[in-house]
Amino acid sequence: MAERVLVSINLETVPDVSEDILPFKIISYVGGVYFSVKPNTLDSAYHFLLRDRYALNTYIDATAVERVSDVILLLDKGAAKVVITLQQLKKIIDDCLLEDLGRLIVFNGHSATEKNVDLRTDEFTKHLDSIAGHAAIEVYVQEEDDFRSLSDLPKTQRDCYAIIGKNNRGVYRAAIANGYIPVVSATDLELGSTSRPDDLAFEGLLTEAIKSDRTDGLYSTVVTNELGVCLGLVYSSKESIKAALQTGTGVYHSRRRGLWYKGAESGDTQELVSIRWDCDGDALRFVVRQKGDGFCHLKTSTCFGPYTGLAKLEKTLQSRKKSAPPNSYTARLFNDTKLLWAKIMEEASELCEAQSKTDVAAEAADLIYFAMAKCVASGTNLQDVERNLDRKSLKTSRRKGDAKSKWAEKVGLTTDIDGVNVPKNAQEEETIKEAASVPKSQDDPAGINDGRIQMKRYKTLETEPAVLKDALQRPSQRSTEEIMKIVRPIIQDVRDGGDASVLAYTHKFEKATSLTTPVLRSPFPLNLMQLPQETIDAIDISFENIRRFHSAQKEEKPLEVETMPGVMCSRFSRPIERVGLYVPGGTAVLPSTALMLGVPALVAGCKNIVLASPPRSDGTITPEIVYVAHKIGAESIVLAGGAQAVAAMAYGTPSITKVDKILGPGNQFVTAAKMLVSNDTTACVSIDMPAGPSEVLVIADRTANPAFVASDLLSQAEHGTDSQVVLIAVALNEEQLHAIEVELNAQAHALPRVDIVRGAIEHSVTLVVGDIIEAMALSNQYAPEHLILQVEGAERVVGLVENAGSVFVGPWTPESVGDYSAGVNHSLRAAQRGGRGDAACGCGRAGGASEGGECAA
């Protein structure tokens, strides 16, 4: 139900609503709060909604807000209703941005003092009806100071709001009498006596709006707790209402004693929560927090007897927590978290198994009992739970309702690539394909916000830490157990069937049915390396830079230390004889990965280098990878991808050389296969660190070029729908943030992999922070695979880096340079948190590279 009165405030001058401020407390007693926002005050509005300690019903005039996505965000963050224009309403309805249109109030700019106001209001009503149909949308009218104007203003069947400009008692009464919901200014409201007789006091918001049907002028009043349980029936007077508001307690009118301060003698006092009037305006409802033994003089919770249901259960558990003997079952229930955990899980399981109505009711009651025990143990009450439910009901966006994998698997469900629970037998063979290779369909809204590709944005100052933590969660991956169930049979099949099994999987998954052998041996035919000269030159330059950088890391001589007289300890390294290098294929050509894996193997002196990469449907490998294999001196290329390629290199086949170590990134199936074979002692093969999806974190300040920032973000977003990109904006204003978002949208639409980009952007975020110290703290917490510093004095900021894979310093060091040509190694950064960090520094337009130091793991 809508509030019966709103109190307007100036958002730019109000104190912090998170503090105990008297005006806000009094507003919460009598009605909702109302204020206007503009684009430059949106952040203040978000802060108000987030920090509101009084659970105020907040109404916001958003007619000056430019983007409807910001209007929806106000609702999502907790605004009860927003005032908008007809144009904004049409956009919201056309784009299906809001399910509950009843939370919208449409501005009607016509005043009763205008000529032909009947005609204009009729036109407005018809226009509104043509857009919204019979949706329960309310109407807001211009400021009116003259109650006669209010009475003359034509009304619709919809609820109407009217601003009372001068807080005049007569205008306020006229607004109420004519069915309007008045909006009064908090500026001139006073609690108690007013300077002029016609002025409206705070208590007048109630006393001027209600009427009595009794000869003594008293108002029938029902008293309830926050759960809506009726405690008793009393009478109120104008004086008692004023006293209740002044003291913040339950004060009523006794026909024998006059003012009745509830509990003043018995100690069973009440804390006032709110006062509202009924639909006819002749009765009141006091909502209170009852203290002591209860409301009734007979020491019962209510005048109608003790509490029942949940209210009784809560009171019982609170009493038991206080009185339970030490080491008793009841005491353990409140103090032993594992015991309570087990009981909740037990009862939840029994509820799921219950079938009949009687059994469901019984098991639900048992579960609620132990859930309430959890609440009482933590100091949480039913009001806290209800407030949380109410706040969640205001959300305009919803998390997916599917179960987490570990729970879904218990009932025979699995989770597809979109996070949807489906029966396990509904999984297609394509689940073995790389999840990241599946682009979003054209009708999938992933990554789209207000009609463009745009990341979610959070202001850290106004966002709760738990929300920020959730926002920075990496995209969920399939459960290890589920992946292992798919991979194990493939590995066993390759181990038993050799070449024939490898070929069969390549035919099945890569559609390369023309292949008759699973391996391509050196020397590689020249016709398989036909490339444009500029591509050859680019590969050659990258090859040489990587070779020089990694050659510099070789030990010139063994390390020798005399730990005590006569005891010499030394450390020396030897190249691994046979290495298998996995180069992903599928949706993109990755010669850079072949270089990053192959050149270090060449520099180290590995005798046998085996590459593995999935072929194209015609059975050939992309010429870039064949050319790199030729340059690093690879002995062969395994024409397979996925778990089957890993198994072939781990165990060997008649055609494929068994290796001693397997390195290289891949999808979840490749990673799972590497882990399985490394744990098989009969394979005698080791692996590098497991790799995760690609990611990049860009830190940008006012000096950053929006086009460069967008380009760096997209360099990883296009890798796959499970990639994640993060922008930390250091003290950027709305205009600067908007410039980056416009660039990202434009550049993304220019990419052939735009639908993959959208999938990545869906779980990517922008964090707006106050300074570089906060930015680096968040970056170190996140520990990105790639960290890009597009900030003033970027070289000095490098000293603040603790956890990162590769660090790109300055505006002239794009992430792609480090991934391809600078010389530092991009392989397996997604698996690193801390460890060695490679740093690439942009020095002028030419750029340069330097090795980073050791980072704390």
Side-chain angles (χ1 to χ4, degrees):
M1 182 178 177
E3 288 287 358
R4 307 299 296 276
V5 61
L6 302 178
V7 179
S8 68
I9 60 173
N10 184 340
L11 187 61
E12 299 181 40
T13 61
V14 297
D16 191 341
V17 75
S18 64
E19 300 174 3
D20 192 6
I21 303 296
L22 182 61
F24 288 121
K25 182 179 289 187
I26 296 176
I27 291 173
S28 72
Y29 291 158
V30 299
V33 68
Y34 170 95
F35 56 77
S36 300
V37 295
K38 300 176 182 177
N40 64 330
T41 58
L42 276 170
D43 291 341
S44 298
Y46 299 149
H47 180 82
F48 184 97
L49 293 168
L50 181 65
R51 305 301 182 192
D52 174 16
R53 63 173 296 177
Y54 300 106
L56 291 163
N57 278 336
T58 303
Y59 291 58
I60 300 177
D61 181 349
T63 54
V65 175
E66 297 171 355
R67 300 188 299 180
V68 293
S69 60
D70 290 330
V71 175
I72 300 302
L73 189 57
L74 288 169
L75 292 170
D76 189 64
K77 288 186 176 293
K81 302 192 180 200
V82 292
V83 180
I84 58 173
T85 64
L86 280 170
Q87 291 76 17
Q88 289 171 317
L89 174 65
K90 188 175 187 305
K91 177 71 172 173
I92 289 171
I93 292 177
D94 289 348
D95 294 347
C96 300
L97 299 179
L98 184 65
E99 182 177 341
D100 183 8
L101 297 180
R103 295 176 65 189
L104 302 177
I105 304 170
V106 179
F107 174 65
N108 174 10
H110 302 307
S111 168
T113 57
E114 298 179 30
K115 294 181 179 179
N116 301 321
V117 66
D118 292 281
L119 178 60
R120 294 187 180 184
T121 301
D122 185 58
E123 291 175 352
F124 170 83
T125 302
K126 288 180 179 178
H127 196 177
L128 175 57
D129 291 343
S130 69
I131 296 173
H134 297 292
I137 296 173
E138 298 166 342
V139 177
Y140 164 90
V141 301
Q142 283 183 327
E143 177 178 318
E144 296 293 348
D145 295 335
D146 187 342
F147 70 92
R148 289 168 297 184
S149 298
L150 285 172
S151 62
D152 292 339
L153 189 65
K155 293 184 288 294
T156 70
Q157 296 300 314
R158 306 173 188 271
D159 285 340
C160 294
Y161 298 76
I163 286 187
I164 307 303
K166 295 180 180 178
N167 286 1
N168 180 278
R169 295 169 61 191
V171 177
Y172 181 77
R173 282 198 300 265
I176 296 288
N178 285 280
Y180 287 93
I181 298 168
V183 182
V184 302
S185 173
T187 306
D188 300 321
L189 282 175
E190 298 178 20
L191 186 58
S193 300
T194 59
S195 55
R196 293 187 301 270
D198 290 336
D199 286 349
L200 186 66
F202 249 118
E203 61 269 21
L205 298 179
L206 292 168
T207 59
E208 298 294 340
I210 57 178
K211 56 185 181 292
S212 175
D213 56 4
R214 294 173 52 90
T215 57
D216 55 11
L218 299 178
Y219 309 106
S220 299
T221 301
V222 61
V223 184
T224 76
N225 64 13
E226 289 180 283
L227 298 176
V229 177
C230 180
L231 305 180
L233 297 173
V234 296
Y235 291 105
S236 296
S237 63
K238 291 185 178 182
E239 291 75 16
S240 69
I241 293 171
K242 179 179 177 180
L245 293 174
Q246 288 177 329
T247 61
T249 63
V251 183
Y252 312 104
H253 185 92
S254 168
R255 287 172 293 177
R256 287 186 299 142
R257 295 176 292 174
L259 284 183
W260 170 29
Y261 290 82
K262 178 70 179 77
E265 297 178 2
S266 67
D268 301 330
T269 59
Q270 295 176 339
E271 179 184 344
L272 182 63
V273 176
S274 68
I275 308 174
R276 298 294 188 270
W277 65 87
D278 72 344
C279 57
D280 295 323
D282 58 5
L284 292 173
R285 176 192 176 194
F286 271 60
V287 179
V288 300
R289 296 189 185 100
Q290 180 66 54
K291 311 293 184 181
D293 292 325
F295 181 83
C296 186
H297 68 285
L298 298 177
K299 297 297 183 181
T300 56
S301 300
T302 81
C303 287
F304 306 101
Y307 284 138
T308 59
L310 290 178
K312 179 179 180 180
L313 173 61
E314 179 182 46
K315 200 171 183 67
T316 299
L317 288 171
Q318 289 170 341
S319 174
R320 289 179 180 176
K321 181 183 178 183
K322 292 179 181 178
S323 61
N327 300 321
S328 66
Y329 169 76
T330 303
R332 287 172 53 223
L333 193 63
F334 291 116
N335 298 313
D336 187 339
T337 56
K338 291 185 177 180
L339 171 63
L340 186 53
W341 179 309
K343 288 301 298 181
I344 291 173
M345 299 301 290
E346 173 190 334
E347 299 302 340
S349 176
E350 291 178 358
L351 174 60
C352 292
E353 295 169 359
Q355 297 295 324
S356 70
K357 181 178 178 179
T358 301
D359 289 344
V360 169
E363 299 302 338
D366 289 343
L367 178 59
I368 291 171
Y369 177 91
F370 289 103
M372 278 304 306
K374 174 74 173 180
C375 290
V376 171
S378 67
T380 304
N381 56 40
L382 278 172
Q383 290 76 29
D384 297 325
V385 176
E386 285 204 345
R387 278 194 293 270
N388 191 277
L389 287 171
D390 290 340
R391 193 165 186 85
K392 285 176 178 174
S393 72
L394 297 177
K395 299 291 287 184
T396 60
S397 58
R398 299 283 187 268
R399 291 185 178 182
K400 290 183 177 179
D402 292 276
K404 294 180 180 179
S405 296
K406 68 176 182 179
W407 303 112
E409 290 173 3
K410 292 179 180 293
V411 293
L413 296 176
T414 188
T415 306
D416 67 14
I417 61 174
D418 291 318
V420 177
N421 298 150
V422 295
K424 287 190 176 182
N425 58 10
Q427 290 287 88
E428 300 290 338
E429 292 178 348
E430 290 299 310
T431 57
I432 302 180
K433 284 284 194 178
E434 184 173 358
S437 69
V438 182
K440 296 297 180 181
S441 63
Q442 292 294 325
D443 57 354
D444 189 328
I448 301 297
N449 185 2
D450 200 14
R452 67 184 180 198
I453 299 174
Q454 182 174 305
M455 290 150 47
K456 300 178 184 68
R457 193 198 297 178
Y458 298 88
K459 291 281 185 85
T460 58
L461 181 64
E462 299 159 8
T463 307
E464 295 175 352
V467 176
L468 287 178
K469 183 178 179 182
D470 287 344
L472 288 174
Q473 286 291 323
R474 265 76 174 183
S476 61
Q477 303 288 297
R478 293 179 183 277
S479 71
T480 302
E481 183 180 349
E482 178 188 347
I483 295 296
M484 293 300 186
K485 288 179 181 178
I486 297 173
V487 168
R488 281 193 186 94
I490 296 175
I491 292 176
Q492 189 63 45
D493 197 10
V494 170
R495 185 176 182 181
D496 295 340
D499 290 339
S501 293
V502 176
L503 266 178
Y505 283 116
T506 300
H507 292 168
K508 179 179 182 180
F509 296 126
E510 316 307 335
K511 311 303 180 187
T513 55
S514 61
L515 277 180
T516 57
T517 176
V519 68
L520 178 65
R521 293 196 169 276
S522 63
F524 306 114
L526 292 177
N527 68 305
L528 297 182
M529 294 183 280
Q530 296 295 320
L531 291 168
Q533 188 59 45
E534 61 181 6
T535 302
I536 292 174
D537 293 342
I539 292 176
D540 289 347
I541 291 171
S542 297
F543 177 94
E544 182 57 22
N545 288 345
I546 298 167
R547 188 197 64 76
R548 290 175 61 188
F549 183 72
H550 287 76
S551 294
Q553 300 175 47
K554 291 183 66 176
E555 294 180 352
E556 295 183 0
K557 60 179 181 179
L559 172 68
E560 294 184 350
V561 178
E562 187 174 9
T563 57
M564 61 183 297
V567 178
M568 297 294 296
C569 298
S570 64
R571 186 190 71 186
F572 55 89
S573 59
R574 294 288 184 270
I576 299 171
E577 183 177 357
R578 299 169 299 182
V579 292
L581 312 179
Y582 186 86
V583 180
T587 62
V589 179
L590 297 175
S592 58
T593 300
L595 285 166
M596 295 296 176
L597 296 170
V599 175
L602 175 65
V603 170
C606 299
K607 295 180 181 178
N608 302 103
I609 301 175
V610 177
L611 261 66
S613 190
R616 296 179 290 194
S617 59
D618 64 358
T620 64
I621 294 287
T622 54
E624 292 88 348
I625 292 177
V626 179
Y627 180 64
V628 172
H630 162 72
K631 285 190 69 73
I632 65 174
E635 70 156 44
S636 61
I637 302 174
V638 178
L639 304 176
Q644 56 272 23
V646 173
M649 292 188 290
Y651 298 104
T653 72
S655 300
I656 299 170
T657 301
K658 178 194 170 358
V659 301
D660 303 312
K661 186 167 186 174
I662 301 173
L663 307 96
N667 61 23
Q668 298 170 68
F669 302 99
V670 171
T671 300
K674 288 165 65 178
M675 294 171 66
L676 281 172
V677 298
S678 68
N679 287 327
D680 182 358
T681 56
T682 64
C684 294
V685 67
S686 64
I687 62 171
D688 53 6
M689 291 186 295
S694 296
E695 64 191 31
V696 66
L697 187 149
V698 180
I699 300 178
D701 65 9
R702 58 181 176 77
T703 66
N705 185 323
F708 290 5
V709 174
S711 179
D712 275 329
L713 292 169
L714 292 172
S715 68
Q716 294 300 304
E718 70 170 355
H719 277 213
T721 56
D722 60 349
S723 298
Q724 184 178 48
V725 301
V726 177
L727 169 63
I728 299 184
V730 182
L732 296 191
N733 59 32
E734 181 62 31
E735 181 181 354
Q736 293 163 334
L737 289 165
H738 183 65
I740 294 173
E741 291 169 348
V742 169
E743 275 290 342
L744 186 140
N745 179 65
Q747 292 185 32
H749 280 292
L751 295 172
R753 296 163 66 86
V754 60
D755 291 327
I756 286 180
V757 167
R758 290 195 297 109
I761 295 298
E762 176 67 18
H763 37 247
S764 298
V765 296
T766 296
L767 303 181
V768 183
V769 302
D771 54 41
I772 191 65
I773 300 300
E774 183 184 2
M776 293 309 302
L778 285 168
S779 174
N780 288 326
Q781 175 187 338
Y782 183 75
E785 175 191 9
H786 304 91
L787 171 61
I788 299 175
L789 302 175
Q790 290 203 34
V791 295
E792 187 174 10
E795 293 81 0
R796 297 190 301 273
V797 177
V798 174
L800 300 176
V801 178
E802 296 178 359
N803 298 317
S806 295
V807 185
F808 301 84
V809 187
W812 300 106
T813 314
E815 185 272 337
S816 51
V817 167
D819 264 9
Y820 287 89
S821 296
V824 295
N825 203 305
H826 78 215
S827 185
L828 284 178
R829 296 306 182 201
Q832 292 188 348
R833 180 181 179 88
R836 180 176 296 278
D838 295 335
C841 301
C843 307
R845 289 187 177 273
S850 64
E851 170 72 355
E854 294 288 332
C855 298

